[in-house]
């Protein structure tokens, strides 16, 4: 279900669909804008979830995410503002503050909790899930804490590009991935243009978190705050800031092209594997 069709000009410059998220309550009662992983947009293979938590009201997030399991995915949390405490069953943990990223490979199974530390002020962050390919779903769990000083920033022509993962103009992000993935947080001053050629085999999208951008420099398709745009593989995207400062997350990765089965915190290939994950969790075999 698309929220709106791209114009023919938009389609001509590589735009596949434009979407908005849905408000859901998850964890112990956290209000989330679910951009990917909802009934509106199930997945953009291999991206199976994108949640946005953004509120100045602690009631929306203070309940946090008490201990829960994961299997079959990597969960990537990017904290724009605020602080969250992570603890996991491998003894991993850390405090995510402004600009921090945690890149957690759940693999065959991990238990973790994600709880807010601050009880006042704005919380603004994202959690992305990458579905691991079948051959890696039962990989060893792993935790990477990426502090802001580890994340390179490319500044040029009115652009500020944080390279969390993957590569932009020879600058490499610090994350070690199972799946090759570009994860950038891009800020554009009005009039500046971010361009990127998407590999023929890659899925990609952007999620505008601030301001408004136009999709093509020659045409007039515009995308505003809280809208997601999926791009056609093999196109060159050109994104121009048309508000004071605009900002978006830009993601690209290779699709697994495998069946996707979901069960709460587990993402596997078959319903049997989901049942097995719940059984393993009940029997204390995860984490
Ligand atoms: Co989790």
């Amino acid at each position: 279900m698309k929220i709106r069709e791209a114009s023919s000009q938009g389609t001509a410059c590589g735009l596949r669909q434009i979407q908005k998220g849905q408000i859901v309550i998850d964890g112990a009662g956290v209000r989330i804008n679910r951009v990917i992983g909802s009934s509106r947009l199930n997945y953009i293979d291999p991206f199976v979830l994108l949640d946005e938590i953004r509120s100045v009201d602690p009631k929306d997030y203070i309940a946090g995410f008490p201990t829960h399991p994961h299997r079959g995915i990597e969960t990537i949390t990017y904290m724009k503002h605020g602080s969250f405490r992570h603890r996991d069953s491998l003894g991993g943990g850390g405090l995510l503050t402004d600009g921090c990223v945690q890149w957690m490979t759940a693999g065959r199974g991990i238990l973790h909790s994600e709880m807010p530390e601050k009880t006042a002020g704005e919380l603004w962050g994202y959690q992305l899930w990458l579905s691991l390919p079948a051959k890696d779903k039962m990989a060893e769990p792993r935790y990477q804490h990426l502090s802001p000083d580890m994340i390179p920033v490319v500044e040029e022509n009115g652009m500020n590009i944080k390279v969390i993962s993957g590569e932009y103009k020879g600058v490499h992000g610090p994350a070690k991935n199972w799946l090759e993935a570009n994860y950038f947080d891009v800020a554009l001053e009005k009039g500046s243009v971010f361009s990127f050629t998407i590999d023929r085999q890659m899925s990609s999208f952007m999620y505008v978190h601030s301001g408004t951008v136009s999709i093509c420099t020659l045409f007039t398709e515009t995308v505003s705050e809280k809208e997601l745009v999926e791009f056609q593989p093999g196109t060159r995207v050109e994104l121009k800031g048309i508000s004071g400062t605009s900002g978006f997350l830009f993601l690209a990765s290779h699709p697994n092209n495998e069946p996707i089965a979901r069960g709460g915190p587990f993402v596997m290939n078959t319903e049997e594997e989901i049942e097995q994950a719940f059984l393993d969790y009940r029997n204390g075999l995860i984490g």
Side-chain angles (χ1 to χ4, degrees):
M1 188 175 67
K2 294 170 187 170
I3 61 151
R4 63 182 163 97
E5 294 292 330
S7 68
S8 56
Q9 291 177 334
T11 307
C13 38
L15 199 161
R16 178 174 271 174
Q17 62 171 329
I18 302 170
Q19 283 286 358
K20 275 197 168 182
Q22 283 179 318
I23 300 301
V24 299
I25 304 296
D26 207 341
V30 180
R31 189 171 188 273
I32 290 167
N33 179 29
R34 183 149 290 162
V35 184
I36 299 176
S38 70
S39 56
R40 198 180 260 170
L41 178 59
N42 190 2
Y43 57 82
I44 297 174
D45 187 14
F47 305 104
V48 290
L49 182 125
L50 178 65
D51 278 352
E52 177 181 57
I53 302 177
R54 189 172 185 180
S55 176
V56 293
D57 184 353
K59 283 203 294 294
D60 286 339
Y61 59 78
I62 199 68
F65 302 87
T67 304
H68 60 276
H70 286 294
R71 174 178 281 177
I73 53 177
E74 293 191 286
T75 71
I76 300 123
T77 306
Y78 173 37
M79 188 61 60
K80 291 273 289 179
H81 186 67
S83 72
F84 247 69
R85 171 77 59 186
H86 168 93
R87 285 193 182 86
D88 69 43
S89 51
L90 293 176
L95 184 66
L96 282 106
T97 50
D98 292 16
C100 286
V101 172
Q102 68 162 47
W103 198 290
M104 190 183 80
T105 307
R108 63 181 157 75
I110 196 164
L111 295 172
H112 75 161
S113 65
E114 300 150 293
M115 300 300 287
E117 288 264 307
K118 247 188 183 170
T119 53
E122 186 191 33
L123 187 77
W124 180 9
Y126 295 91
Q127 187 164 89
L128 178 78
W129 292 4
L130 275 171
S131 182
L132 291 166
K135 66 179 176 57
D136 297 323
K137 283 216 179 280
M138 300 299 271
E140 280 295 306
R142 182 171 72 183
Y143 177 77
Q144 301 171 72
H145 181 89
L146 311 174
S147 53
D149 56 298
M150 297 165 71
I151 299 170
V153 178
V154 178
E155 289 196 79
E156 54 174 23
N157 309 324
M159 285 188 283
N160 176 298
I161 301 151
K162 283 188 193 178
V163 185
I164 295 167
S165 164
E167 184 246 319
Y168 179 79
K169 292 193 174 172
V171 175
H172 292 262
K176 292 186 193 74
N177 314 7
W178 283 93
L179 277 170
E180 189 190 331
N182 292 303
Y183 189 166
F184 309 150
D185 185 8
V186 181
L188 295 179
E189 284 172 21
K190 188 175 180 176
S192 56
V193 178
F194 168 82
S195 54
F196 194 86
T197 303
I198 297 160
D199 186 286
R200 266 179 201 292
Q201 321 298 335
M202 272 185 157
S203 303
S204 82
F205 70 90
M206 72 157 169
Y207 177 70
V208 178
H209 56 65
S210 311
T212 305
V213 298
S214 73
I215 296 287
C216 325
T217 44
L218 296 175
F219 308 121
T220 53
E221 188 87 44
T222 60
V223 187
S224 299
E225 199 170 306
K226 295 197 180 282
E227 290 186 323
L228 172 147
V229 173
E230 183 185 0
F231 300 107
Q232 300 279 3
T235 49
R236 181 161 179 84
V237 296
E238 299 210 316
L239 307 167
K240 185 179 183 180
I242 57 173
S243 55
T245 301
S246 45
F248 54 88
L249 305 180
F250 180 86
L251 280 298
S253 187
H254 294 280
N256 293 317
N257 296 317
E258 294 170 354
I260 292 175
R262 286 174 178 277
F266 308 122
V267 182
M268 304 298 287
N269 299 112
T270 66
E271 292 305 323
E272 291 71 28
E273 289 166 342
I274 294 291
E275 282 168 33
Q276 188 63 49
F278 278 107
L279 198 63
D280 288 352
Y281 176 50
R282 279 197 297 272
N283 290 331
L285 299 173
I286 289 183

